[in-house]
Amino acid sequence: MSTLSLRVLNRALLQRQFLLTRTEHTPLEVIRRLVAMQAQEPNWPFVGLWSRIREFEHAGLTTLLEDRRVVRSGLLRSTQHLTRADDFRRFRPLLQPVLDRTASAAYFSRNSAGLDTGELVTAGLEFLADQAMPRRELARRLAESYPDRDGRILAGEVEMRSALIHDPATAGWGAWGTRPSVSVTAVEVGEPANAMELIRRYLAAFGPASVKDVQAWSGLTRLSEIVASMSGELRRYRDPHGKELVDLADAQLPDADTPAPVRLLPAFDNVLLGHTDRTRIIADEDRKRIMPGRALVLPAFLVDGRVHGSWSLSGGELRLTPFRPLTVDNRAALEDEAHRLLPFVAAERVSFPARP
């Protein structure tokens, strides 16, 4: 069983995420490869695709959302993601136990104590009646049906327990941050995908990886036996700490010396969230800076394939904050990449902090 260095694991991850070289694939093809794109705030997946696709424009994703070929909904780890509509119809039922577990947490259960869960979901779906409805209106109607309950939390529980997608207007490019008014529509789902398929899709985008990595990314548990049953189609490795990793048998590993260009990652990018041990792309001390708590994952930039700092947008300024000094060449490459992003995010200038 071969041992893979962190650098090989890094290059493999970047290659599969289209972060070594921008791809000519369509946005729909890239989203399929990534399985789903974290979309806690709607604008960030657009930036994620810009960093991966050559000459990507906003319309490339907006059209997919308007045509309902890509949808935004709760999915991996019970958080908002963009995914292909056909994948959503199959993966949402597979992942529903994860969302049900979240819906049973104290935040929801304290509010719905004594209510029949099935009746609550049925009531919510009857209000929706196959049409788009603002979340606040759904909350109002549920509050009328269940007095002395917080209708907003009831609506959130219904959204966790049933397949509701967001309307294209609130999933598309627009104001930064979360949208104050989101409309949801109930959709039909199909037979759940097999967990083996989800594991294969994960490895194609994030491998080589451990069973715990798959579980951390998906929210599913008890996948060890399923991965063991796939031994005939998987290749096994060890990481530098001796932990067992698995990968698709036909997946290629890039050379450790493959150049990795500067890249700007959006907030919440799954490339930083797809593993339990994330040291292949971010050092532990930097992880605390990019993930400071309150479920935040800040925008980051990569130098030589690893997180080297964060970036932010404010008042027409794209501000780069390195965590350690940059070489002259790396600083020039970073500034060049940031300037290329300016028109896409409607910013005007690039800046660095006055003191590193």
Side-chain angles (χ1 to χ4, degrees), residues 72-224:
R72 180 180 188 240
S73 182
L75 197 65
L76 300 169
R77 306 180 301 279
S78 301
T79 56
Q80 303 300 327
H81 279 76
L82 291 186
T83 190
R84 294 197 333 169
D86 52 353
D87 281 341
F88 177 78
R89 285 190 287 269
R90 299 172 62 250
F91 288 145
R92 173 67 189 239
L94 174 65
L95 295 165
Q96 188 59 52
V98 182
L99 289 104
D100 288 341
R101 190 166 66 235
T102 301
S104 299
Y107 173 78
F108 294 103
S109 62
R110 281 195 300 262
N111 187 63
S112 58
L115 299 183
D116 182 278
T117 298
E119 290 180 4
L120 172 63
V121 171
T122 298
L125 293 178
E126 287 177 351
F127 288 138
L128 290 168
D130 299 322
Q131 62 183 354
M133 176 180 288
R135 279 172 166 171
R136 62 184 62 175
E137 176 62 16
L138 177 60
R140 186 188 68 79
R141 296 191 184 191
L142 288 169
E144 288 180 348
S145 298
Y146 301 97
D148 302 322
R149 314 274 180 162
D150 187 322
R152 181 178 56 87
I153 299 177
L154 291 178
E157 182 169 349
V158 170
E159 191 169 345
M160 282 287 175
R161 295 189 184 277
S162 51
L164 307 185
I165 62 172
H166 297 190
D167 65 296
T170 52
W173 182 262
W176 292 94
T178 56
R179 305 288 158 81
S181 180
V182 174
S183 293
V184 292
T185 305
V187 296
E188 294 283 339
V189 295
E191 289 296 315
N194 188 296
M196 291 185 183
E197 179 184 351
L198 188 65
I199 292 167
R200 293 186 193 102
R201 294 281 296 277
Y202 167 81
L203 291 174
F206 294 91
S210 69
V211 174
K212 287 185 177 180
D213 290 331
V214 189
Q215 294 181 160
W217 168 81
S218 66
L220 294 171
T221 58
R222 301 179 181 179
L223 296 181
S224 295

Side-chain angles (χ1 to χ4, degrees), residues 44 176 264 299 310-321 331 335 337-339 341-355:
W44 290 118
W176 292 94
L264 297 174
S310 63
W311 62 279
S312 60
L313 291 168
S314 180
E317 183 174 84
L318 193 161
R319 188 175 180 83
L320 300 162
T321 305
R331 181 180 174 112
E335 287 189 81
E337 183 76 350
H339 276 101
L341 181 59
L342 288 181
F344 189 85
V345 295
E348 300 170 356
R349 57 193 176 276
V350 174
S351 71
F352 285 83
R355 300 178 64 183

